[in-house]
Amino acid sequence: ASRVLVASRNYADFASEATFEIKQCDLHRLEEGPGTTAVMTREEGLHYYKTMQMIRRMELKSDQLYKQKIIRGFCHLYDGQEACCVGLEAAIKPTDHVITAYRAHGFTYARGVPVKEILAELTGRKGGCVKGKGGSMHMYTKNFYGGNGIVGAQVPLGAGIALACKYFGKNEVCLTLYGDGAANQGQIFETYNMAALWKLPCIFICENNRYGMGTSVERAAASTDYYKRGDFIPGLRVDGMDILCVREAAKFAAEYCRSGKGPILMELQTYRYHGHSMSDPGISYRTREEIQEVRSKSDPITLLKDRMVNNNLASVEELKEIDVAVRKEIEEAAQFATTDPEPPLEELGHHIYYNEPPFEVRGPNQWIRYKSVS
């Protein structure tokens, strides 16, 4: 019935774009920041909606596969935070660079990796985006440097990528992400210092989802104004549940970096629906009511959906059709991720170095040697 209804409505009936009021960012060491209005076209809205729904459904499927013991090991889910990765990606170029912590599935998808390769990586299969060797925390693709398991360690690496951007003069920027749980680490402040001295085109982004593992930000940090933590580095505090707020702030930050002014810091105020990882039920340090309140009032997908429908950019039926298509793609991807073969043991030593001649690698059994190829 919904298909008949959508078919009966001509696409000319919809508005091609709409202008929205968005929340003003809090500023640090900036005289002016991103605007308080944002224009979104119908095409952009449909793309953002589908991408966020794909990430949401992918994470819910990951939860299911983990509980079935098909996904093993560490697994940190991103549902609730979709506006962050999709909004950031909408503001930068494919040639720009992104490095993040281990809650990385959403960024991997936003950077262009198909969902079936992400799920296959989670299940440790040969068809995974890192050929089954990386799992949840170590996913990569062109201009995306992971998924990093060591808390905060990706921040100095991000500054190194930004240094390469500056060195080669390509007018590219690096988005360097970390969570509120990592924000108190010394290596982050050392990196701020170096990036400011060398005027690196680095956007430091703190995804503040209010809990570092099971500890609330109020219990972990004397100052929860993470956007001011760069001190001499300008900062923005952004509504991380609103994709348009994230997009506009990230456009502003990228332009700031490309102009040669050096680094800038963004704090995205967001929320995760799952616990810290799949081993954390997520309700021992916060209440079910708190989670439900965020879901009902600030859900990033619902917010975008309401904006599109209320401003005649799409119909409810059209968005439902997208939901159906997304679920179908997720189910097909899960089927691939559970039937694709695991990588053979002889590939254990592969891809240790890039573009090196083959050499012998000792495996778990010291008497067995494997050949490494790049």
Side-chain angles (χ1 to χ4, degrees):
S2 66
R3 280 184 185 161
V4 173
L5 190 57
V6 172
S8 68
R9 201 171 162 188
N10 195 306
Y11 286 126
D13 295 340
F14 294 113
S16 60
E17 63 177 45
T19 303
F20 301 92
E21 294 290 324
I22 57 174
K23 188 177 174 183
Q24 187 169 10
C25 295
D26 295 319
L27 306 180
H28 171 65
R29 284 184 176 262
L30 287 166
E31 290 183 6
E32 57 180 299
T36 54
T37 59
V39 176
M40 180 174 68
T41 66
R42 169 178 152 79
E43 188 180 352
E44 286 170 343
L46 291 172
H47 172 68
Y48 300 158
Y49 181 81
K50 183 178 180 181
T51 307
M52 288 203 289
Q53 276 289 28
M54 194 72 83
I55 294 167
R56 175 72 55 90
R57 291 286 159 193
M58 175 177 71
E59 297 299 62
L60 294 176
K61 178 56 72 173
S62 300
D63 171 279
Q64 184 186 337
L65 293 173
Y66 196 96
K67 286 169 179 170
Q68 293 170 350
K69 298 189 176 177
I70 295 169
I71 294 173
R72 297 298 189 96
F74 294 103
C75 185
H76 305 82
L77 302 181
Y78 201 70
D79 49 321
Q81 299 183 212
E82 296 90 351
C84 296
C85 63
V86 181
L88 291 169
E89 188 62 39
I92 61 172
K93 302 171 184 175
T95 49
D96 289 323
H97 309 267
V98 178
I99 186 167
T100 189
Y102 42 70
R103 203 178 302 280
H105 310 163
F107 284 96
T108 309
Y109 182 74
R111 286 259 89 183
V113 177
V115 70
K116 76 173 196 174
E117 291 185 21
I118 296 172
L119 288 179
E121 190 56 44
L122 285 165
T123 57
R125 307 304 171 115
K126 196 173 181 181
C129 56
V130 201
K131 304 190 185 302
K133 296 178 184 175
S136 174
M137 296 201 288
H138 305 283
M139 297 184 181
Y140 310 92
T141 189
K142 186 171 176 59
N143 298 332
F144 177 62
Y145 307 83
N148 290 269
I150 300 173
V151 177
Q154 72 279 1
V155 178
L157 298 179
I161 296 164
L163 175 61
C165 292
K166 183 170 183 176
Y167 184 83
F168 290 114
K170 291 183 177 178
N171 199 29
E172 296 165 354
V173 299
C174 180
L175 275 57
T176 301
L177 291 109
Y178 54 96
D180 53 276
N184 299 315
Q185 289 200 359
Q187 61 183 329
I188 291 176
F189 294 92
E190 292 176 45
T191 306
Y192 289 164
N193 185 60
M194 192 174 286
L197 283 171
W198 293 350
K199 289 195 176 340
L200 301 182
C202 189
I203 306 174
F204 295 106
I205 303 170
C206 177
E207 286 187 289
N208 176 8
N209 62 28
R210 292 165 49 179
Y211 296 95
M213 296 186 74
T215 306
S216 68
V217 291
E218 292 81 11
R219 292 179 59 216
S223 168
T224 57
D225 289 337
Y226 295 104
Y227 72 111
K228 294 180 179 178
R229 294 285 199 91
D231 189 13
F232 34 77
I233 297 176
L236 303 164
R237 182 158 59 193
V238 185
D239 181 356
M241 302 300 272
D242 181 347
I243 187 169
L244 295 181
C245 271
V246 176
R247 186 191 73 180
E248 295 307 300
K251 280 181 181 177
F252 176 90
E255 195 176 310
Y256 181 94
C257 284
R258 289 190 217 279
S259 69
K261 293 176 185 173
I264 191 167
L265 206 158
M266 289 172 64
E267 175 191 344
L268 305 182
Q269 293 190 310
T270 184
Y271 198 84
R272 56 172 161 81
Y273 294 158
H274 270 83
H276 170 73
S277 68
M278 284 301 296
S279 61
D280 166 23
I283 50 170
S284 58
Y285 49 86
R286 59 182 185 176
T287 63
R288 291 181 193 273
E289 290 74 27
E290 178 185 304
I291 301 166
Q292 193 52 46
E293 185 179 10
V294 175
R295 278 183 178 274
S296 62
K297 292 182 180 178
S298 307
D299 184 78
I301 298 176
T302 304
L303 178 62
L304 177 65
K305 179 181 180 179
D306 290 348
R307 274 179 169 161
M308 292 184 71
V309 172
N310 294 340
N311 287 271
N312 196 34
L313 290 175
S315 65
V316 172
E317 294 76 21
E318 186 179 17
L319 297 178
K320 279 182 181 172
E321 284 214 333
I322 291 175
D323 296 347
V324 171
V326 164
R327 284 195 183 96
K328 183 172 183 288
E329 188 172 340
I330 294 294
E331 288 304 322
E332 289 171 356
Q335 182 67 23
F336 174 77
T338 51
T339 56
D340 193 53
E342 294 181 359
L345 196 59
E346 55 268 22
E347 288 187 12
L348 186 68
H350 289 190
H351 310 116
I352 294 173
Y353 291 108
Y354 169 69
N355 211 17
E356 289 280 329
F359 58 94
E360 285 195 333
V361 179
R362 182 167 62 81
N365 181 329
Q366 62 177 322
W367 309 114
I368 300 175
R369 301 276 173 169
Y370 297 95
K371 264 290 194 249
S372 172
V373 297
S374 60

